[in-house]
Amino acid sequence: MIGKLQCLVIDCPEPAVLARFYAALLGGEVDRPDRRWSLGEDWSTLHLDGGAVLCFQGVADHRPPRWPSAEHPQQAHLDVDVADLDEAERQVLALGAVRLHDAGAWRIYADLAGHPFCLIRG
């Protein structure tokens, strides 16, 4: 195991609205204070029973997916906590991931099918 899933981030036009929708569907607590991120107009969270967290990220020009159309992709990514960014990077690159961006405390990669995911120093 390279890391531990931190959260699933879903792009959307209105983060708080979508967080409340999923809370109604799945239960959990909307916008619980959490040291890992700041809440605001462009970021809302849903802490689920059992520890999973869904995060909702505001995107100004959001284009919703039209399943199964490839013209409007799914627009979600995983954030994965790791103890050592350099070692985790070595391991995911060996698995075939492609590095897309280094943002300091986290790094962004594409998986084998091109979906983005982030490694975050835990």
Side-chain angles (χ1 to χ4, degrees):
M1 180 175 90
I2 296 171
K4 178 177 81 170
L5 180 65
Q6 183 183 84
C7 62
L8 173 65
V9 179
I10 302 170
D11 287 357
C12 60
E14 297 177 284
V17 171
L18 198 55
R20 288 191 301 270
F21 169 84
Y22 277 100
L25 180 64
L26 303 171
E29 184 179 348
V30 173
D31 291 338
R32 176 194 302 169
D34 191 312
R35 66 171 176 74
R36 296 175 289 185
W37 43 69
S38 297
L39 301 169
E41 185 178 316
D42 292 324
W43 187 263
S44 195
T45 63
L46 176 61
H47 286 73
L48 299 170
D49 295 341
V53 180
L54 300 179
C55 296
F56 305 92
Q57 177 172 268
V59 175
D61 297 317
H62 180 261
R63 294 183 320 156
R66 294 183 190 162
W67 188 87
S69 171
E71 293 177 26
H72 300 272
Q74 292 298 305
Q75 302 166 351
H77 69 270
L78 300 177
D79 284 352
V80 180
D81 280 336
V82 298
D84 182 324
L85 276 174
D86 294 331
E87 177 58 21
E89 176 175 84
R90 185 191 65 72
Q91 293 175 355
V92 298
L93 293 176
L95 293 172
V98 174
R99 186 176 184 181
L100 300 176
H101 183 70
D102 184 345
W106 71 91
R107 296 180 188 159
I108 304 162
Y109 304 85
D111 67 16
L112 300 176
H115 301 113
F117 67 95
C118 300
L119 297 180
I120 300 171
R121 187 174 347 184

